[in-house]
C-alpha cells in the first residue's frame, strides 16, 4: 500500500474510532488517536498476520499493553478483515465481541488480554521467550503508554527482556506526555525514557509517532542480541484540535456537537 | 424527590471534610483522582495529597510507611487495582501489623459497566475478608458513604471502604444509624429476610415492596459492615423467617453470601439462596443491562424469595 493511501486510511480509521466512541458514550478517545499510526505501521508495514487465520502459529504478535487504546486496534482489525466493520458499532455493548478492553477469547486477531496497565509487557516477554524456545521466527510487539511506564512491572519486564536477549521483542512507547490526572511530569515524572531503556539494555530508537514510515523503519532496523525500544513522540487526541494535548479527553464521551465538529475537522469520506 | 449522588463523589467530599478537622489525614491516589474523586480532597488540602502515578504497589507500601510515622493515609484507586494488584502489600505491609491505613476504592462491582471484565472487581470483598485485622464497609448510598469515611478514621487499623461508581438515589438520611459491625434492619418482615449490601440494598427494598403487594412480608437487612460480620442480627432475622436471600454486587463466593452461609450453617432452619455473581467474570455493557444479565434486579430478588417460599410464579 502506498503511503498516500495510508494517510487517507488514517483519516477513515479516525472517523471509525470517533464513531465507535460516540455511539457507546464511553471509552478513551485521546489515547486511541495518539496510538493509531503506531498500530498502522505494525499492521500495514511490519507484522505478518493472516485475517483468515487469526490463530496462525507463525504470525507476529501484538500486545496492546495500553489496552484502553483498543478502539484504534479494533478499527484496524476490521479494516484488515478479521471481522466485519459493522461489529465496531457494538463496542462495549452487552454481548459484543469488542470489549471495553482487549479480550483474546472474544475478538479475532487480539493476541492478549490487557486493560490493567503494566501487565502487557510481561505477556510479550513470555511470547518472545516461547518463540526462542520453539525456534519460531515470529516477532512480538508490545505497545506501552507513558503513564503505564510508572508501573514497576514494566521494568521487571524490561529487565527480563534484556536478560534473555530477546531480539525478537520490541517495546513501542506511545509518548504523548499525558495520562489521566495531568502530564506525566505533574503526576509522576518519568525522567529520560530513552536513557532508562538504554540502561536496561535495549537498542533504542526515537521517532515521530505519527510518521508511519519512520516507525516502520525503526521496526525494520537490524538488531541482534538485545530487545528493541522505539519511543514514538505522539500527540494525545491527534487530529481533533479540541482534544489535542488535553488530558481532559483521556476518557470523556463526546456530545453531539463535539462529535460533529470532530468529524468535520477530520474530513474524509462519510462513513458507510 | 430524593437527592441522587454518586458514592464516589460523596467519598471525595467526606475526605475533604475530614481533612479539615484532622490534619493527620493524608490522601494517596494512583492517577485516578478525577475518577475516585480524591480530587475534591486535593483541591482543599494540596499539601496532603500525593499522586503516585500508575504504581499501586508502591503507593500501598508508602501508605504503610506514612501510617508508621503517625499519619492516617486514605489510599484510593479502582477496587480491582487496590485489592488485586496491591493485595500482598495490603496483607504484609499493612494488615499484618494492623497499620492504620484506609482504602477508599471506587469502581467496584459490575456497575463499572462498559470498561468490562478487566475493570469490574467482583472478588474484592472476598480478598479483603480473608485478611485478619481488616474492617470492610460497603456503603449503599452517598449518605452512608460519608458515615463510613468518618467511622474509618475512628478505627485503629486497616479499613476497606468499597465505593461504587453510579449515581444513585440517596435513600438513607443523616440520622440513619451507622454503627460499624451492626447491620441495619430497614424493613420488618416475617416470611423472608433479604440480606443486602451496597447498591443492592435499594434493589432489595424495591423487591420487598413488590412482595408486600403479593401478601409476602419481607424483611430487609442492610449489612454495611461485612467485617466484622453481624452474625447475631442476621441469625435473629433469619430465625424469624422461613427463608433468607442474600444479594450483593460481588461473587457469591467469599463475600456477603458466604458470610451469611457461615452464620446460618447449623444454626438456622431457614432455606437460603445467594444472589450475586455466580462464579464468573463480568463483561462490557451498560450497568442496567449487566444487572439484568447477571440476575441482580428487584425482579430477580423477588423471584428468588417466592421460589424459596414455595410459591408458584
Ligand atoms: C493498573 C491500572 N491502574 C489504573 C488504570 C486506569 N487508567 C486507565 S488509562 C490510565 C492512564 C494511562 O496513561 P498512559 O499510559 O499515558 O495512556 P495514554 O496517554 O496513552 O492514553 C489509567 C490510570 C488501569 N487501567 N490500570
Ligand atoms: Mg500517555
Amino acid at each position: 500500500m502506498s503511503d498516500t493511501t495510508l494517510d487517507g486510511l488514517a483519516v477513515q480509521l479516525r472517523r471509525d474510532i470517533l464513531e465507535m466512541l460516540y455511539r457507546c458514550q464511553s471509552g478513551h478517545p485521546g489515547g486511541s488517536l495518539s496510538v493509531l499510526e503506531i498500530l498502522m505501521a505494525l499492521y500495514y508495514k511490519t507484522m505478518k498476520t493472516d485475517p483468515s487465520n487469526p490463530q496462525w502459529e507463525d504470525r507476529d504478535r501484538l500486545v496492546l499493553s495500553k489496552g484502553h487504546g483498543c478502539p484504534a486496534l479494533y478499527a484496524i482489525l476490521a479494516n484488515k478483515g478479521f471481522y466485519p466493520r459493522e461489529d465496531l458499532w457494538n463496542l462495549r455493548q452487552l454481548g459484543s465481541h469488542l470489549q471495553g478492553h482487549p479480550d483474546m477469547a472474544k475478538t479475532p486477531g487480539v493476541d492478549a488480554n490487557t486493560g490493567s496497565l503494566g501487565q502487557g509487557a510481561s505477556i510479550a516477554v513470555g511470547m518472545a521467550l516461547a518463540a526462542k524456545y520453539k525456534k519460531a521466527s515470529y516477532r512480538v510487539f508490545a505497545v506501552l503508554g507513558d503513564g503505564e511506564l510508572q508501573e514497576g512491572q514494566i521494568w521487571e519486564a524490561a529487565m527480563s527482556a534484556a536478560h534473555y536477549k530477546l531480539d525478537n521483542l520490541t517495546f513501542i512507547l506511545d509518548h504523548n506526555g499525558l495520562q489521566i490526572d495531568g502530564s506525566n511530569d505533574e503526576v509522576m515524572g518519568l525522567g529520560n525514557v530513552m536513557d532508562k531503556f538504554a540502561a536496561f539494555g535495549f537498542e533504542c530508537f526515537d521517532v515521530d509517532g505519527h510518521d508511519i514510515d519512520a516507525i516502520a523503519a525503526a521496526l525494520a532496523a537490524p538488531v541482534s542480541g538485545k530487545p528493541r525500544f522505539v519511543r514514538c513522540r505522539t500527540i494525545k487526541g491527534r487530529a481533533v484540535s479540541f482534544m489535542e494535548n488535553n488530558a481532559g479527553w483521556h476518557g470523556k464521551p463526546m456530545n453531539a456537537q463535539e462529535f460533529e465538529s470532530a468529524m468535520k475537522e477530520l474530513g474524509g469520506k462519510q462513513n458507510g | 424527590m430524593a437527592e441522587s449522588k454518586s458514592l464516589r463523589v460523596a467519598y471525595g467530599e467526606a475526605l475533604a471534610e475530614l481533612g479539615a478537622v484532622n490534619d493527620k489525614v493524608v490522601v494517596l491516589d494512583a492517577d485516578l483522582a478525577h475518577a475516585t474523586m480524591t480530587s475534591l480532597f486535593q483541591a482543599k488540602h494540596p499539601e496532603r495529597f500525593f499522586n503516585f502515578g500508575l504504581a499501586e504497589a508502591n503507593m500501598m507500601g508508602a501508605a504503610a510507611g506514612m501510617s508508621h510515622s503517625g499519619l492516617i493515609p486514605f489510599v484510593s484507586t479502582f477496587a480491582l487495582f487496590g485489592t488485586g494488584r496491591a493485595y500482598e502489600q495490603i496483607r504484609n505491609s499493612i494488615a499484618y501489623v494492623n497499620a492504620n491505613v484506609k482504602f477508599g476504592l471506587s469502581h467496584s462491582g459490575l456497575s463499572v459497566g462498559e470498561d468490562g471484565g478487566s475493570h469490574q472487581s467482583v472478588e474484592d470483598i472476598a480478598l479483603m475478608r480473608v485478611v485478619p485485622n481488616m474492617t470492610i464497609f460497603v456503603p449503599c448510598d452517598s449518605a452512608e458513604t460519608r458515615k463510613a469515611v468518618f467511622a474509618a478514621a475512628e478505627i485503629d487499623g486497616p479499613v476497606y471502604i468499597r465505593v461504587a461508581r453510579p449515581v444513585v438515589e440517596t435513600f438513607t438520611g443523616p440520622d440513619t444509624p451507622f454503627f460499624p459491625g451492626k447491620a441495619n434492619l430497614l424493613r420488618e418482615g416475617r416470611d423472608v429476610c433479604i440480606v443486602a449490601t451496597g447498591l443492592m440494598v435499594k434493589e432489595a427494598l424495591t423487591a420487598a415492596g413488590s412482595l408486600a403487594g403479593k401478601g409476602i412480608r419481607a424483611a430487609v437487612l442492610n449489612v454495611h459492615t461485612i467485617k466484622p460480620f453481624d452474625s447475631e442480627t442476621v441469625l435473629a432475622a433469619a430465625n424469624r423467617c422461613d427463608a433468607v436471600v442474600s444479594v450483593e454486587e460481588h461473587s457469591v463466593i467469599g463475600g456477603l453470601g458466604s458470610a451469611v452461609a457461615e452464620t446460618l450453617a447449623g444454626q438456622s432452619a431457614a432455606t437460603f439462596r445467594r444472589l450475586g455473581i455466580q462464579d464468573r467474570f463480568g463483561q462490557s455493557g451498560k450497568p442496567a443491562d449487566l444487572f439484568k444479565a447477571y440476575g441482580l434486579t428487584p425482579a430477580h430478588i423477588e423471584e428468588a424469595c417466592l421460589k424459596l417460599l414455595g410459591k408458584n410464579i
Side-chain angles (χ1 to χ4, degrees):
Chain A
M1 208 178 276
S2 86
D3 293 338
T4 49
T5 325
L6 281 187
D7 286 346
L9 181 57
V11 172
Q12 293 310 127
L13 292 169
R14 282 199 162 82
R15 293 184 66 92
D16 283 351
I17 291 168
L18 292 189
E19 180 153 5
M20 294 161 79
L21 291 171
Y22 176 62
R23 288 194 190 214
C24 69
Q25 282 295 298
S26 66
H28 303 86
S32 301
L33 295 174
S34 69
V35 81
L36 182 67
E37 279 82 8
I38 295 172
L39 297 177
M40 287 180 72
L42 285 165
Y43 278 95
Y44 296 100
K45 296 248 178 192
T46 305
M47 285 170 55
K48 291 179 289 160
T49 62
D50 180 358
S52 67
N53 182 13
Q55 296 302 318
W56 175 37
E57 266 228 37
D58 289 326
R59 73 187 185 281
D60 292 330
R61 269 83 166 159
L62 171 79
V63 180
L64 182 59
S65 194
K66 47 161 281 187
H68 59 280
C70 59
L73 176 63
Y74 295 163
I76 288 173
L77 292 177
N79 176 264
K80 301 234 6 149
F82 282 90
Y83 44 79
R85 177 158 166 272
E86 296 74 65
D87 292 4
L88 297 179
W89 317 137
N90 295 327
L91 173 70
R92 292 177 160 247
Q93 303 301 323
L94 187 68
S96 171
H97 73 79
L98 299 177
Q99 293 287 296
H101 293 83
D103 189 329
M104 63 188 286
K106 292 199 164 86
T107 309
V110 167
D111 290 320
N113 280 47
T114 51
S116 176
L117 292 164
Q119 302 196 15
S122 301
I123 297 171
V125 164
M127 289 174 169
L129 265 175
K132 291 275 180 199
Y133 169 69
K134 295 190 296 184
K135 304 211 186 326
S137 64
Y138 64 78
R139 295 176 68 184
V140 183
F141 303 89
V143 176
L144 315 174
D146 44 19
E148 187 183 18
L149 291 189
Q150 291 156 356
E151 289 287 353
Q153 187 178 349
I154 294 288
W155 303 98
E156 297 177 24
M159 181 167 60
S160 58
H163 178 81
Y164 287 111
K165 302 186 173 51
L166 297 178
D167 50 13
N168 54 352
L169 175 66
T170 299
F171 286 177
I172 305 176
L173 178 63
D174 180 355
H175 204 173
N176 57 32
L178 298 178
Q179 43 196 101
I180 296 184
D181 286 340
S183 68
N184 303 148
D185 289 340
E186 287 164 330
V187 175
M188 181 57 61
L190 295 166
N192 185 323
V193 293
M194 291 292 284
D195 287 355
K196 282 201 162 89
F197 276 94
F200 268 76
F202 280 64
E203 185 76 33
C204 296
F205 300 82
D206 190 358
V207 300
D208 173 350
H210 297 296
D211 180 339
I212 294 174
D213 286 329
I215 301 165
L219 296 174
V223 171
S224 93
K226 42 159 89 170
R228 177 192 317 249
F229 172 70
V230 182
R231 174 216 191 206
C232 293
R233 284 169 273 116
T234 56
I235 294 172
K236 197 155 176 166
R238 168 77 171 189
V240 178
S241 49
F242 63 86
M243 292 185 182
E244 283 197 357
N245 291 313
N246 182 346
W249 280 100
H250 173 84
K252 198 167 83 163
M254 287 165 276
N255 64 32
Q257 288 84 352
E258 288 160 342
F259 177 60
E260 205 178 303
S261 105
M263 292 300 255
K264 206 165 150 201
E265 186 180 350
L266 284 177
K269 293 194 296 277
Q270 291 290 315
N271 290 355
Chain B
M1 182 66 205
E3 184 206 31
S4 286
K5 189 186 268 188
S6 167
L7 277 63
R8 59 184 170 139
V9 171
Y11 173 70
E13 289 173 350
L15 272 189
E17 220 184 297
L18 176 66
V21 296
N22 188 339
D23 65 3
K24 290 202 176 76
V25 169
V26 295
V27 171
L28 289 67
D29 205 306
D31 195 29
L32 286 169
H34 295 89
T36 63
M37 298 314 291
T38 59
S39 54
L40 299 174
F41 179 95
Q42 180 184 18
K44 284 268 166 62
H45 315 286
E47 75 293 350
R48 283 187 270 151
F49 174 83
F50 302 93
N51 203 326
F52 275 75
L54 280 141
E56 295 81 6
N58 182 47
M59 170 169 73
M60 219 48 98
M66 287 175 156
S67 80
H68 297 344
S69 314
L71 302 179
I72 307 175
F74 276 71
V75 186
S76 289
T77 173
F78 288 174
L80 191 67
F81 308 137
T83 65
R85 166 123 357 158
Y87 172 77
E88 204 238 330
Q89 281 77 11
I90 291 177
R91 194 261 189 204
N92 265 336
S93 296
I94 294 170
Y96 194 22
V97 290
N98 200 38
N100 197 22
V101 178
K102 322 300 170 188
F103 321 101
L105 305 179
S106 75
H107 291 59
S108 56
L110 286 179
S111 55
V112 169
E114 290 87 343
D115 271 350
S118 63
H119 283 57
Q120 293 159 352
S121 70
V122 296
E123 62 274 52
D124 51 300
I125 298 176
L127 285 170
M128 292 299 101
R129 205 162 76 87
V130 291
V131 177
N133 293 333
M134 189 67 66
T135 295
I136 304 174
F137 295 143
V138 184
C140 63
D141 68 1
S142 66
E144 202 166 75
T145 304
R146 183 180 179 283
K147 291 173 200 159
V149 168
F150 279 86
E154 295 298 314
I155 292 169
D156 183 22
V159 179
Y160 172 33
I161 306 173
R162 184 188 214 228
V163 180
R165 177 173 182 262
V167 175
V168 293
E169 188 186 321
T170 304
F171 62 96
T172 68
D175 301 328
T176 310
F178 183 89
F179 300 110
K182 196 89 199 84
N184 284 358
L185 189 63
L186 297 184
R187 185 181 172 120
E188 266 292 4
R190 290 274 163 167
D191 296 318
V192 56
C193 176
I194 310 171
V195 184
T197 194
L199 298 188
M200 291 299 120
V201 175
K202 184 77 207 312
E203 312 303 272
L205 285 169
T206 306
S210 170
L211 285 165
K214 293 176 179 154
I216 289 165
R217 299 161 303 172
V220 174
L221 205 51
N222 171 16
V223 182
H224 50 66
T225 309
I226 301 284
K227 192 180 178 180
F229 190 69
D230 188 0
S231 317
E232 209 179 300
T233 302
V234 170
L235 197 58
N239 285 338
R240 287 195 296 272
C241 297
D242 299 324
V244 177
V245 170
S246 67
V247 53
E248 64 200 303
E249 194 198 352
H250 181 274
S251 172
V252 292
I253 300 175
L256 173 70
S258 288
V260 174
E262 289 156 17
T263 297
L264 299 186
Q267 300 195 74
S268 170
T271 51
F272 173 49
R273 166 113 190 261
R274 293 167 302 157
L275 297 185
I277 293 137
Q278 305 292 332
D279 196 20
R280 55 194 283 227
F281 287 107
Q283 59 182 302
S284 289
K286 295 188 184 68
D289 291 346
L290 289 165
F291 282 170
K292 252 189 226 140
Y294 284 74
L296 293 174
T297 67
H300 289 101
I301 300 170
E302 189 180 334
E303 186 192 322
C305 292
L306 291 171
K307 272 200 181 139
L308 281 190
L309 294 172
K311 309 280 176 194
N312 286 330
I313 45 168

